[in-house]
């Protein structure tokens, strides 16, 4: 699933779309973790680039992947914790929650992706 978003747009509406999309695939705890990742990756684009982006969600057996595309060539950097600085801990949260995350440069910008494991082998309600 894909959703475009504009610069400065709040992450809330995208979180709600992602929550509805992932609900059949994730336990409530896993879904909470996924929403933190969606929020952090979307907010990075809306706060640190001059344009909007695109949120892409992929659900597979035992994993979900969250990707956020933007048009900035500047790669994100994990900042060390600093008690004197507000913010700057988003990628540390993403790294702590996910099984893997990374950045893929593209011709027109970059993709920041994060993969979470899930205890569900298939969506809720699917035939075994």
């Amino acid at each position: 699933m894909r959703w475009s978003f504009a610069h400065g747009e709040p992450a809330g509406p995208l979180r709600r779309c992602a929550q509805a999309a992932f609900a059949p695939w994730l336990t409530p705890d896993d879904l909470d973790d996924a929403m933190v990742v969606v929020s952090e990756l979307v907010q990075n684009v809306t706060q640190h680039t001059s344009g909007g982006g695109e949120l892409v969600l992929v659900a597979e057996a035992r994993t979900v992947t969250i990707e956020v595309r933007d048009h900035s060539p500047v790669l994100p950097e994990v900042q060390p914790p600093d008690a004197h600085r507000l913010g700057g801990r988003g990628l540390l949260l993403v790294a702590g929650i996910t099984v893997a995350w990374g950045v893929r440069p593209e011709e027109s910008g970059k993709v920041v992706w994060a993969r979470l494991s899930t205890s569900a082998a298939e969506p809720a309600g699917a035939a075994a």
Side-chain angles (χ1 to χ4, degrees), residues 10-124:
L14 290 168
R15 240 188 348 264
R16 286 188 287 281
C17 292
Q19 186 171 21
F22 276 155
W25 290 88
L26 299 174
T27 65
D29 287 341
D30 291 341
L31 189 57
D32 289 343
D33 288 347
M35 294 309 96
V36 170
V37 172
V38 167
S39 294
E40 293 300 332
L41 296 185
V42 168
Q43 287 174 350
N44 278 350
V45 171
T46 63
Q47 292 175 3
H48 300 293
T49 71
S50 61
E54 181 181 48
L55 171 66
V56 179
L57 307 177
V58 179
E60 300 174 307
R62 303 207 188 279
T63 65
V64 295
T65 302
I66 299 163
E67 294 184 348
V68 175
R69 290 179 160 78
D70 67 62
H71 298 290
S72 172
V74 179
L75 302 180
E77 294 182 30
V78 177
Q79 300 293 319
D82 182 345
H84 302 290
R85 183 182 68 227
L86 290 176
R89 296 171 184 84
L91 290 176
L92 289 172
L93 283 172
V94 170
I97 291 171
T98 62
V99 295
W101 77 276
V103 182
R104 186 173 64 245
E106 295 188 332
E107 281 187 38
S108 63
K110 66 182 169 298
V111 175
V112 180
W113 60 269
R115 188 165 296 119
L116 293 92
S117 63
T118 175
S119 53
E122 56 188 53

